[in-house]
Amino acid sequence: MSDDTAREDEAYYQRLVRLAMSMYLGERCKYCGREFATLDDLRDAVWVGQHEHGSLAHEDCYQRNL
C-alpha cells in the first residue's frame, strides 16, 4: 500500500468515526446530566446502556458510580 493510499484510508476512517459519533450529540450523561454538545465532549464518553437521556456517560462519572 502506498503512503498516499494509507493517508486517504486514514482520512476516510476519521470521517466515518466523526459521522458515527455525531449520532450521539445532544445526549446527556446518565449521572451528571451534562450534554454531549460537541465531538470533543464525546472523547471521554462511555456507553452505559439506554437511559432517560440517551445511552452515554462521562467515563469519570461512570467510574464514580460503579
Side-chain angles (χ1 to χ4, degrees):
M1 179 182 310
S2 73
D3 287 342
D4 289 339
T5 301
R7 280 192 292 275
E8 289 173 10
D9 288 350
E10 179 63 22
Y12 179 73
Y13 170 75
Q14 290 301 320
R15 287 191 302 272
L16 286 177
V17 168
R18 286 192 302 272
L19 176 64
M21 289 174 63
S22 70
M23 295 185 321
Y24 296 97
L25 294 175
E27 289 195 12
R28 295 188 172 276
C29 176
K30 178 178 181 176
Y31 303 104
C32 73
R34 286 182 299 174
E35 182 180 0
F36 294 99
T38 68
L39 292 177
D40 282 340
D41 294 340
L42 292 168
R43 290 194 185 275
D44 72 335
V46 294
W47 188 83
V48 294
Q50 289 298 317
H51 58 84
E52 171 181 1
H53 304 291
S55 58
L56 302 176
H58 296 101
E59 185 173 8
D60 59 329
C61 294
Y62 173 74
Q63 292 296 329
R64 284 194 304 264
N65 286 279
L66 281 178

